[in-house]
């Protein structure tokens, strides 16, 4: 019997959250039966490739990595169920996933680590609480971490994203040149791939599913990546439909502009709250 690979949090009223243990990737978040996340119709679920959509877990590296795959191994490794879904007194549903070093991870990144990833499904919110622990007695390690969230939208050209004004950003569509955001809301009408630094703790994305707003609150994730591949790069991805780019926007909370430096015996915690408004 194949071990389970998918965990479902069911809060009732067709509000659910589905996690694939491959990368602890949240692959669905339905609020009153409305899907909030984008997963490509061409996503590959072979237990090897990162799932194209949902919320891939980027760790210990954001971007290209000389020791292993782009965006690190967190999103392409099988996580453990630390705590199966449990209904809390509040009516919310909680589950905890965990990852620790292995021969596979140490072959790329020779450090011991413990990662716990707690998800809480509330009526119209999804809470993420993450802890990274360094169990070593003498080794310090540094890492990036980012939740690579693909939001489902009717038409990305109608979305506005707040919380970026005045922020410095690295523009990966312009050879990594650095600019400052002057707009109070960011819109997307072309290939967009930007690492905004020291952004607001809160972003609002307008015109998500059902014309609603999505509120993102983040703690200890100082940066925000905004990505849409647009047509040409959509065509370059075999696990992404050529016609899918208008229906998604990535707004990614992360600690990527500078690494987290974790001393022996200490832990780093970060969290995110997504709320349908
Ligand atoms: O988060 C934006 C980004 O870094 C883009 O540069 C693009 O590479 C995207 O991630 C997807 O990366 P992937 O390795 O999943 O194809």
């Amino acid at each position: 019997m194949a071990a389970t690979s998918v965990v479902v949090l069911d809060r009732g009223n067709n509000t659910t959250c589905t996690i694939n243990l491959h990368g602890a990737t949240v692959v669905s978040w339905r609020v009153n039966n409305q899907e909030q996340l984008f997963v490509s119709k061409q996503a590959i679920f072979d237990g090897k490739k990162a799932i194209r959509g949902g919320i891939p877990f980027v760790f210990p590296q954001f971007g290209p990595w000389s020791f292993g795959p782009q965006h690190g191994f967190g999103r392409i490794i099988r996580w453990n169920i630390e705590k199966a879904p449990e209904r809390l007194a509040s009516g919310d549903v909680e589950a905890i996933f965990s990852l620790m070093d292995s021969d596979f991870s140490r072959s790329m990144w020779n450090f011991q680590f413990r990662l716990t990833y707690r998800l809480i499904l509330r009526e119209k919110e999804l809470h993420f609480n993450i802890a990274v622990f360094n169990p070593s007695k003498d080794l310090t390690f540094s890492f990036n971490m980012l939740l690579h969230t693909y939001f489902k939208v009717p038409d990305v050209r109608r979305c506005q994203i707040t919380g970026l004004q005045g922020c410095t950003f690295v523009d990966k569509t312009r050879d990594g040149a650095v600019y400052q955001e002057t707009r109070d809301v960011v819109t997307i009408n072309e290939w967009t791939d930007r690492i905004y630094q020291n952004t607001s703790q809160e972003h609002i994305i307008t015109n998500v599913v059902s014309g609603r707003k999505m509120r993102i609150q983040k703690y200890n994730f100082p940066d925000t990546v905004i990505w849409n591949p647009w047509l040409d790069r959509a065509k370059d991805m075999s696990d992404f439909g050529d016609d899918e780019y208008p229906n998604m926007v990535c707004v990614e909370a992360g600690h990527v502009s500078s690494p987290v430096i974790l001393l022996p015996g200490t832990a780093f915690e970060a969290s995110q709250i997504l709320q349908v408004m």
Side-chain angles (χ1 to χ4, degrees), residues 52 62 70-71 75 148 150 172 193 225 227 237 252:
R52 179 64 66 194
F62 175 78
Q70 158 147 297
H71 290 337
R75 65 176 186 165
H148 200 293
Y150 289 71
K172 288 166 66 174
D193 193 352
V225 175
W227 179 57
M237 292 186 283
E252 310 161 20

Side-chain angles (χ1 to χ4, degrees), residues 30-258:
R30 301 181 80 88
V31 177
N32 302 133
N33 216 21
Q34 288 279 352
E35 180 58 64
Q36 304 299 318
L37 302 177
F38 167 91
V39 176
S40 173
K41 295 182 189 66
Q42 295 176 188
I44 294 168
F45 296 86
D46 63 358
K48 296 187 184 71
K49 189 171 171 47
I51 294 169
R52 179 64 66 194
I55 310 178
F57 195 107
V58 174
F59 174 87
Q61 168 71 18
F62 175 78
W65 195 27
S66 47
F67 300 113
Q70 158 147 297
H71 290 337
F73 50 70
R75 65 176 186 165
I76 57 166
I77 210 165
R78 184 181 174 86
W79 288 55
N80 308 303
I81 304 172
E82 188 79 17
K83 178 183 167 193
E86 179 192 6
R87 180 175 299 283
L88 307 174
S90 58
D92 301 331
V93 183
E94 175 190 73
I96 300 177
F97 303 90
S98 64
L99 184 68
M100 59 186 284
D101 55 285
S102 61
D103 292 345
F104 177 62
S105 70
R106 287 190 297 270
S107 71
M108 291 172 270
W109 193 60
N110 194 17
F111 295 103
Q112 294 177 308
F113 68 89
R114 304 280 183 281
L115 242 176
T116 57
Y117 184 24
R118 184 160 68 110
L119 294 177
I120 302 175
L121 177 63
R122 307 195 65 184
E123 191 178 354
K124 296 193 182 309
E125 300 172 12
L126 186 56
H127 290 222
F128 308 72
N129 295 299
I130 301 161
V132 185
F133 175 58
N134 178 356
S136 170
K137 297 273 182 294
D138 48 12
L139 286 178
T140 293
F141 63 71
S142 62
F143 62 91
N144 296 145
M145 190 160 77
L146 171 133
L147 295 173
H148 200 293
T149 309
Y150 289 71
F151 292 99
K152 179 183 171 77
V153 297
D155 183 349
V156 70
R157 287 160 287 215
R158 300 184 60 237
C159 295
Q160 296 185 330
I161 305 163
T162 68
L164 299 164
Q165 187 169 30
C167 296
T168 299
F169 65 92
V170 173
D171 191 336
K172 288 166 66 174
T173 72
R174 292 178 174 78
D175 296 326
V178 179
Y179 301 91
Q180 190 162 30
E181 184 55 69
T182 56
R183 298 170 292 174
D184 61 340
V185 293
V186 167
T187 55
I188 294 177
N189 297 286
E190 59 184 353
W191 171 36
T192 303
D193 193 352
R194 302 178 167 195
I195 304 168
Y196 284 89
Q197 302 171 354
N198 296 316
T199 55
S200 167
Q201 281 192 324
E202 176 177 295
H203 299 294
I204 303 282
I205 312 171
T206 65
N207 287 310
V208 297
V209 170
S210 305
R212 292 177 176 275
K213 293 183 175 71
M214 180 67 67
R215 184 183 184 211
I216 304 169
Q217 292 169 285
K218 56 189 179 72
Y219 305 95
N220 269 350
F221 280 137
D223 308 310
T224 307
V225 175
I226 309 290
W227 179 57
N228 185 292
W230 219 251
L231 177 58
D232 293 345
R233 275 145 202 86
K235 286 180 178 171
D236 292 347
M237 292 186 283
S238 60
D239 60 346
F240 190 100
D242 297 357
D243 61 351
E244 291 186 308
Y245 69 91
N247 300 124
M248 53 75 68
V249 61
C250 281
V251 182
E252 310 161 20
H255 196 303
V256 298
S257 293
S258 65

